C-alpha cells in the first residue's frame, strides 16, 4: 500500500501517503493518544498502527468485545437486541472516551489530544447472501482544552470475501483517523480522502455526520450531497430536522410514496400533488398509514448548473422542503426505474410514484434506455412489474385542454405498451386537483423571484415566501422589487 500519485495530464497534482505512512505520522505525534474498540471484523484498523512502529505513544488500549454477553456487559444492552447500529457505535465511543478521561490524569498529560476510534461491523455471511455493513466513528480532540468532535459514518461492503472486507475496513479506519486530525479544517477533502487506497467498488459510504466544535459550521446535508456527487453512494436521505439518516433504516419494509422534482422552489402544485396522491395512496389495499413514508426526491442532474452542482441552490431547496416537514432524498438516478429498484432493495411493500403528465411521457421515451440491452422493455420490467402505481397529476396544455392518462400523447410506437400498463391499473389519475394550480410553474416563479417581478408569493405554500425573503433564497433581493415598483 505505497504512496499513490494523482496526475492531471503529465502534471503531479497530489501525492497520497501510504497507509503505513499515515499510521506512522499519527504514531509519531506525541500528543495523539487514545483507544480502539472494534467489533465484528477483527482488530483491522489498530493493527496498521501496531505494525507502523512507535505505537506505544498512541495506543492506550485496543479491544474486540466479540462475545455478545461480554459486549453487553461493557457497553450496555441495546433495546432492539442488534449490535451493528449507530446507537451501539455511539455507546462504544462515549464509554471509551469516559474511560480515558477517568483513567488518565490531565495534570500528568496536559497536552494530550485524546481520541476513541470504534467500529461495529457485520461482514459477509457464510451463505454470501448479505454482503455486510457497519458503523465506523471517531470521537476526538484537536485541542486538550476543547470538547470532543465526532465523525460517524455508515458503510456497505461490496466485496464478496471476508478477508478482503476486513482489509478494506482497516484501510478506511486509518484514513478516517488521519483525516480527522490532519484534514478536519476541510471536511469535503476529508470525505474524499476516506477512499485513499480504496476503490468505489470495494465500499459504499451512504451516511455521514460531523459534530463538535470544529464542525460547528458544517451542514451535514451538504456533506450528504458530497457523498452522491463523489460517487460514494447512489442516494442519501435527511429528515425534516436536516439530519442525515440511514436509507436502509428508514425505508425498511415501508410503503413508499415518492415525488420527484426540482422543487426550485417548492410550489402549490408540488404540495397539491403530494397531498392528493397521498390521500389516494392511503386508500389502496396493502397500504398502512402508520407504515407509509413520503419522500421528496431530487436527482443530481436537477442540481447541476452549467455542468457544476450549485451547492447554495441545493441548500435553498433543502431548507424549504425541510420547513414543510418533508423527508428529502438526493440521488444520482436519472431514470425512474432506478429509483424504484433502489427502494425495492429495502421493501417489498406497495409503492407509489406521484408525477405530472410530462414526466410520464418522458418515461415512455426510448432514448433513455439505449444503454440497456433489453431497452425500454427491460426498464419497464423493473419499473411496473413491482407492486407499484403511478398517481398522475394533470397538465394544462397551451390550447387550454387538460391532459390526463386518458388523452396524453406518447410516441406511436409506445401506444400499445402504454395501454397495457394503463389498463392494468398501474396509472391512476389524480382527479380531485386544484385547477388554479395548473398554471403554476416553478421555473416561472424562479424567474419572477430573480428578476424582481411581483406576484410570485401566491404560487407558493404557506410560509415559503416568507422564508425566501428572510433568508434571501434563490437570488431574492428586496432592492430588485423596489426598482420594479418604481
Amino acid at each position: 500500500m505505497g504512496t499513490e500519485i494523482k496526475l492531471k495530464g503529465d502534471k503531479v497534482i497530489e501525492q497520497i501517503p501510504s497507509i503505513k505512512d499515515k499510521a506512522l505520522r499519527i504514531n509519531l505525534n506525541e500528543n495523539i493518544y487514545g483507544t480502539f474498540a472494534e467489533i465484528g471484523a477483527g482488530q483491522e484498523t489498530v493493527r496498521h498502527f501496531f505494525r507502523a512502529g512507535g505505537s506505544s505513544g498512541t495506543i492506550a488500549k485496543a479491544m474486540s468485545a466479540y462475545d455478545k454477553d461480554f459486549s453487553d456487559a461493557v457497553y450496555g444492552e441495546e433495546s432492539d437486541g442488534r449490535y451493528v447500529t449507530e446507537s451501539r457505535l455511539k455507546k462504544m465511543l462515549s464509554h471509551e472516551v469516559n474511560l480515558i478521561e477517568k483513567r488518565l490524569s490531565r495534570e500528568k498529560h496536559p497536552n494530550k489530544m485524546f481520541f476513541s476510534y470504534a467500529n461495529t461491523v457485520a461482514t459477509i455471511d457464510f451463505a454470501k447472501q448479505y454482503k455486510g455493513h457497519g458503523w465506523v466513528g471517531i470521537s476526538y480532540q484537536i485541542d486538550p482544552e476543547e470538547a470532543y468532535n465526532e465523525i460517524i459514518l455508515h458503510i456497505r461492503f461490496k466485496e464478496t470475501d471476508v478477508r478482503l472486507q476486513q482489509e478494506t475496513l482497516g484501510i478506511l479506519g486509518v484514513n478516517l483517523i488521519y483525516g480527522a486530525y490532519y484534514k478536519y479544517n476541510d471536511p469535503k477533502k476529508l470525505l474524499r480522502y476516506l477512499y485513499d487506497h480504496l476503490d468505489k467498488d470495494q465500499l459504499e459510504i451512504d451516511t455521514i455526520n460531523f459534530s463538535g466544535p470544529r464542525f460547528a459550521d458544517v451542514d451535514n446535508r451538504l456533506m450528504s450531497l458530497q457523498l452522491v456527487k463523489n460517487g460514494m453512494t447512489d442516494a442519501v436521505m435527511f429528515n425534516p430536522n436536516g439530519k442525515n439518516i440511514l436509507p436502509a433504516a428508514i425505508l425498511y419494509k415501508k410503503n413508499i410514496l415518492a415525488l420527484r422534482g426540482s422543487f426550485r422552489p417548492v410550489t402549490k402544485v408540488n404540495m397539491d400533488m403530494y397531498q392528493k396522491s397521498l390521500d389516494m395512496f392511503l386508500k389502496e389495499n396493502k397500504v398502512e398509514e402508520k407504515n407509509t413514508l413520503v419522500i421528496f426526491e431530487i436527482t443530481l442532474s436537477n442540481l447541476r448548473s452549467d455542468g457544476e452542482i450549485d451547492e447554495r441552490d441545493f441548500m435553498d431547496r433543502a431548507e424549504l422542503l425541510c420547513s414543510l416537514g418533508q423527508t428529502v432524498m438526493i440521488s444520482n438516478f436519472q431514470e425512474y426505474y432506478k429509483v424504484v429498484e433502489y427502494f425495492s432493495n429495502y421493501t417489498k411493500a406497495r409503492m407509489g410514484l406521484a408525477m405530472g403528465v410530462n414526466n410520464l411521457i418522458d418515461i415512455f421515451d426510448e432514448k433513455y434506455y439505449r444503454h440497456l440491452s433489453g431497452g425500454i422493455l427491460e426498464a419497464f420490467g423493473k419499473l411496473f412489474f413491482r407492486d407499484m402505481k403511478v398517481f398522475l397529476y394533470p397538465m394544462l396544455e397551451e390550447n387550454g385542454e387538460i391532459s390526463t392518462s386518458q388523452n396524453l400523447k406518447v410516441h406511436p410506437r409506445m401506444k400499445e405498451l402504454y395501454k397495457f400498463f394503463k389498463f392494468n391499473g398501474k396509472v391512476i389519475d389524480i382527479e380531485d386537483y386544484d385547477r388554479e394550480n395548473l398554471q403554476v410553474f416553478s421555473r416561472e416563479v424562479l424567474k419572477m423571484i430573480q428578476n424582481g417581478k411581483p406576484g410570485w408569493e401566491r404560487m407558493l405554500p404557506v410560509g415559503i415566501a416568507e422564508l425566501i425573503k428572510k433568508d434571501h433564497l434563490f437570488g431574492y433581493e428586496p432592492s430588485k422589487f423596489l426598482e420594479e415598483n418604481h
Side-chain angles (χ1 to χ4, degrees):
M1 206 62 67
T3 303
E4 276 184 19
I5 295 172
K6 283 188 180 174
L7 299 172
K8 196 169 189 178
D10 295 329
K11 192 178 170 189
V12 175
I13 56 168
E14 195 175 6
Q15 283 194 317
I16 301 170
S18 68
I19 291 301
K20 183 181 177 182
D21 288 344
K22 286 186 175 190
L24 186 60
R25 186 177 175 190
I26 293 282
N27 283 349
L28 294 179
N29 186 323
E30 61 184 17
N31 294 324
I32 297 176
Y33 196 59
T35 63
F36 292 77
E38 305 185 66
I39 297 179
Q43 294 186 295
E44 295 303 319
T45 301
V46 77
R47 73 185 172 91
H48 286 288
F49 292 89
F50 278 128
R51 288 177 177 178
S55 60
S56 59
T58 300
I59 304 167
K61 179 185 79 173
M63 70 175 289
S64 287
Y66 263 79
D67 181 81
K68 289 180 179 179
D69 292 337
F70 194 93
S71 182
D72 286 345
V74 176
Y75 301 118
E77 292 183 30
E78 295 297 319
S79 57
D80 57 8
R82 291 157 65 213
Y83 290 84
V84 185
T85 61
E86 184 178 18
S87 160
R88 190 52 160 198
L89 182 79
K90 286 186 168 180
K91 280 182 184 171
M92 292 168 74
L93 290 172
S94 172
H95 176 85
E96 298 299 339
V97 162
N98 288 339
L99 271 187
I100 202 168
E101 287 283 357
K102 201 161 117 184
R103 290 177 178 172
L104 295 178
S105 157
R106 278 291 178 188
E107 286 176 14
K108 192 177 173 184
H109 304 286
N111 300 318
K112 290 288 189 203
M113 300 180 290
F114 293 145
F115 76 89
S116 175
Y117 166 85
N119 64 50
T120 174
V121 170
T123 50
I124 192 165
D125 67 324
F126 189 72
K128 300 205 171 185
Q129 283 185 299
Y130 305 101
K131 286 187 182 173
H133 72 113
W135 288 92
V136 181
I138 183 170
S139 188
Y140 72 108
Q141 293 176 299
I142 289 297
D143 184 309
E145 304 291 317
E146 221 173 59
Y148 284 75
N149 304 288
E150 211 165 70
I151 306 171
I152 288 178
L153 52 135
H154 182 264
I155 61 170
R156 292 191 172 281
F157 293 112
K158 293 188 175 181
E159 293 160 311
T160 54
D161 178 87
V162 174
R163 188 179 56 81
L164 292 176
Q165 290 185 354
Q166 289 172 329
E167 286 175 8
T168 293
L169 179 65
I171 294 166
L172 175 75
V174 176
N175 285 339
L176 175 61
I177 296 166
Y178 184 85
Y181 275 105
Y182 296 116
K183 303 293 177 189
Y184 65 85
N185 56 350
D186 191 345
K188 284 187 197 172
K189 271 192 180 168
L190 191 157
L191 258 189
R192 289 203 304 276
Y193 292 153
L194 291 176
Y195 276 89
D196 284 359
H197 309 288
L198 290 173
D199 210 272
K200 305 280 168 47
D201 59 11
Q202 291 174 272
L203 187 75
E204 175 185 349
I205 301 174
D206 58 5
T207 304
I208 192 158
N209 279 299
F210 293 81
S211 59
R214 296 289 168 148
F215 302 123
D217 296 330
V218 172
D219 190 307
N220 282 309
R221 289 171 296 186
L222 208 47
M223 291 301 106
S224 266
L225 176 61
Q226 301 304 313
L227 292 179
V228 183
K229 183 180 171 184
N230 296 338
M232 297 172 179
T233 190
D234 286 326
V236 290
M237 297 177 71
F238 45 88
N239 65 16
N241 299 325
K243 184 178 175 352
N244 293 340
I245 45 180
L246 180 64
I250 195 168
L251 297 171
Y252 187 62
K253 291 189 174 179
K254 287 284 197 303
N255 290 117
I256 300 166
L257 176 66
L259 292 87
R260 166 176 283 192
S262 62
F263 308 116
R264 193 176 183 237
V266 57
T267 64
K268 281 185 175 177
V269 177
N270 301 132
M271 296 315 288
D272 194 40
M273 188 187 299
Y274 149 69
Q275 198 54 66
K276 300 299 172 11
S277 61
L278 180 59
D279 291 345
M280 292 171 72
F281 188 56
L282 292 175
K283 285 174 187 160
E284 292 275 315
N285 61 350
K286 299 190 191 172
V287 175
E288 295 174 41
E289 186 165 1
K290 65 178 186 298
N291 193 49
T292 295
L293 176 70
V294 179
I295 295 169
F296 280 66
E297 186 228 1
I298 306 173
T299 68
L300 216 56
S301 56
N302 255 328
L303 292 172
R304 294 191 191 280
S305 159
D306 302 321
E308 283 301 307
I309 289 172
D310 186 337
E311 291 179 354
R312 171 61 206 254
D313 187 69
F314 159 72
M315 288 309 302
D316 291 354
R317 302 188 217 188
E319 205 67 44
L320 297 183
L321 288 170
C322 285
S323 77
L324 290 167
Q326 300 305 330
T327 299
V328 179
M329 178 166 118
I330 309 298
S331 82
N332 63 8
F333 306 127
Q334 278 193 286
E335 301 90 351
Y336 272 103
Y337 79 85
K338 287 187 178 175
V339 183
V340 173
E341 215 173 14
Y342 178 77
F343 291 151
S344 298
N345 290 329
Y346 305 109
T347 184
K348 298 291 176 273
R350 176 157 290 177
M351 289 183 267
L353 292 176
M355 66 178 75
V357 166
N358 263 348
N359 298 110
L360 188 61
I361 291 170
D362 276 349
I363 284 180
F364 283 85
D365 191 330
E366 288 177 285
K367 73 180 179 195
Y368 295 112
Y369 313 108
R370 285 178 188 141
H371 61 289
L372 294 175
S373 55
I376 194 168
L377 289 177
E378 182 182 335
F380 275 48
K382 291 173 176 177
L383 179 63
F384 283 111
F385 284 106
R386 298 183 193 275
D387 193 359
M388 198 277 301
K389 292 190 176 181
V390 168
F391 298 95
L392 192 67
Y393 201 81
M395 181 173 76
L396 184 66
E397 302 287 354
E398 285 178 11
N399 61 7
E401 228 180 85
I402 290 177
S403 277
T404 67
S405 72
Q406 306 297 330
N407 61 352
L408 64 80
K409 294 171 178 62
V410 296
H411 191 282
R413 274 209 307 273
M414 295 295 113
K415 270 187 179 171
E416 294 308 311
L417 186 62
Y418 172 69
K419 278 183 194 171
F420 174 77
F421 291 110
K422 167 68 183 154
F423 292 126
N424 275 286
K426 292 288 189 180
V427 181
I428 304 166
D429 283 307
I430 295 172
E431 293 174 346
D432 183 25
Y433 59 89
D434 186 336
R435 193 184 167 98
E436 269 187 40
N437 288 336
L438 298 184
Q439 299 187 55
V440 175
F441 298 97
S442 59
R443 62 180 177 273
E444 297 301 327
V445 175
L446 185 66
K447 274 186 199 165
M448 291 170 81
I449 293 171
Q450 293 175 339
N451 298 331
K453 302 280 183 195
W456 53 272
E457 295 92 338
R458 60 185 169 75
M459 302 181 195
L460 307 183
V462 175
I464 294 300
E466 288 71 20
L467 267 177
I468 290 173
K469 290 176 179 178
K470 179 171 76 75
D471 297 333
H472 290 206
L473 308 182
F474 302 110
Y476 172 81
E477 291 295 341
S479 56
K480 288 180 186 173
F481 288 88
L482 290 173
E483 287 164 21
E484 178 69 23
N485 292 336
H486 283 91

